[in-house]
Amino acid sequence: MDELTLGFISFCTSVITGVIGIGGGLLLIAILPSFLPLNALIPIHGLNQITSNLSRAYFGYKDIQFQVIPKFLVGSFIGVGIFMYFLKTISLTYIPLLIGVYILLSLWSRNFNTKIMKYESYYVIGFFQTGVSVIVGTTGQLAMTKLLKEFKDKNKVVATSAILMSITHILKITVFIYFGFVFYDYLSIVTNMVVGSILGSYVGTKLRNKLDSKKLIFILKIFLSVLAVKNIISIG
């Protein structure tokens, strides 16, 4: 039953990201602690997000701005190489706490977001987005902030963000494979989530210009905050 539930959740979160361009990954990483052991949270989330982002990029292929990819890729390689060291030193017990605090800060702290918005270079964005994602799971708003400034077309922003996030999650998954995580042990869960994310990307792409994104974002922020607090409290 958990497999089907996670497949449906993956579908819903993928629809959200397909419409807004961001938010679904944060929502999913906030929900997963209720279903998965701590050591599986970030690798399973990352594998699912690869599918979600690649499918969203595929459905919006004509809108991808490929010129930003090389700089982001260089920064990502350096970031993942450095931050994988910190993964060895962090107790798994505190992963939900880190995720919860990160979500609350990114949603409600103007000072926090002002600081992360300073990383305007795609080299630097790649470094932090991919590096930090190894620890907290998803950091898509870093690239999204830059893309929103450069491209006024929502479809270009969403499609390009999807390909950059795909790079982030592919490199992150490589780290967990290096550390010995076995995805085969979660094959049924992964399969259902992957199918859900692909369907969600398709539906989200179709709905992007038909739904009120502002209302959806507000509801999403409230729901995410509740889940983030739940993650923080679970540590106690």
Side-chain angles (χ1 to χ4, degrees), residues 11-232:
F11 168 80
C12 293
T13 56
S14 191
V15 169
I16 289 170
T17 309
V19 173
I20 303 174
I22 197 170
L26 272 177
L27 180 57
L28 183 61
I29 196 68
I31 293 173
L32 285 181
S34 299
F35 294 90
L36 296 173
L38 295 179
N39 69 308
L41 286 181
I42 295 180
I44 295 297
H45 174 269
L47 184 59
N48 181 73
Q49 290 303 101
I50 290 172
T51 308
S52 178
N53 283 283
L54 281 180
S55 57
R56 190 163 65 256
Y58 173 78
F59 294 131
Y61 179 82
K62 61 182 177 60
D63 294 308
I64 297 174
Q65 304 303 294
F66 289 96
Q67 69 271 19
V68 310
I69 295 177
K71 295 177 182 178
F72 181 87
L73 190 60
V74 170
S76 293
F77 273 114
I78 298 173
V80 78
I82 292 176
F83 277 85
M84 66 185 292
Y85 169 78
F86 294 105
L87 192 62
K88 299 177 183 178
T89 64
I90 295 176
S91 170
L92 291 176
T93 304
Y94 297 105
I95 292 295
L97 173 64
L98 292 173
I99 292 171
V101 171
Y102 175 80
I103 289 174
L104 289 176
L105 287 174
S106 64
L107 288 177
W108 303 109
S109 173
R110 183 174 298 179
N111 185 49
F112 177 77
N113 283 301
T114 298
K115 288 181 178 179
I116 67 172
M117 286 178 189
K118 292 178 180 178
Y119 304 119
E120 291 294 324
S121 163
Y122 282 108
Y123 292 111
V124 180
I125 289 172
F127 175 86
F128 281 103
Q129 178 165 301
T130 303
V132 175
S133 73
V134 172
I135 299 172
V136 300
T138 183
T139 50
Q141 66 267 46
L142 293 180
M144 183 63 76
T145 301
K146 174 73 168 171
L147 292 170
L148 284 169
K149 290 180 180 180
E150 287 196 12
F151 308 108
K152 303 305 179 185
D153 187 324
K154 186 177 182 180
N155 292 316
K156 290 182 179 179
V157 171
V158 173
T160 308
S161 174
I163 201 68
L164 296 184
M165 284 304 300
S166 297
I167 292 171
T168 289
H169 290 296
I170 288 170
L171 291 177
K172 180 176 67 180
I173 287 305
T174 303
V175 170
F176 283 94
I177 292 174
Y178 171 78
F179 282 124
F181 186 83
V182 182
F183 286 97
Y184 185 79
D185 293 344
Y186 298 88
L187 183 60
S188 180
I189 288 175
V190 168
T191 301
N192 280 275
M193 291 181 71
V194 163
V195 172
S197 67
I198 293 174
L199 292 174
S201 290
Y202 178 77
V203 172
T205 301
K206 295 297 183 181
L207 292 176
R208 187 175 302 147
N209 297 317
K210 298 179 181 179
L211 296 180
D212 188 336
S213 295
K214 290 184 179 179
K215 290 183 179 178
L216 191 59
I217 288 172
F218 178 75
I219 295 171
L220 178 63
K221 287 178 71 173
I222 298 300
F223 189 45
L224 272 170
S225 298
V226 172
L227 290 171
V229 171
K230 179 178 178 294
N231 281 349
I232 294 171

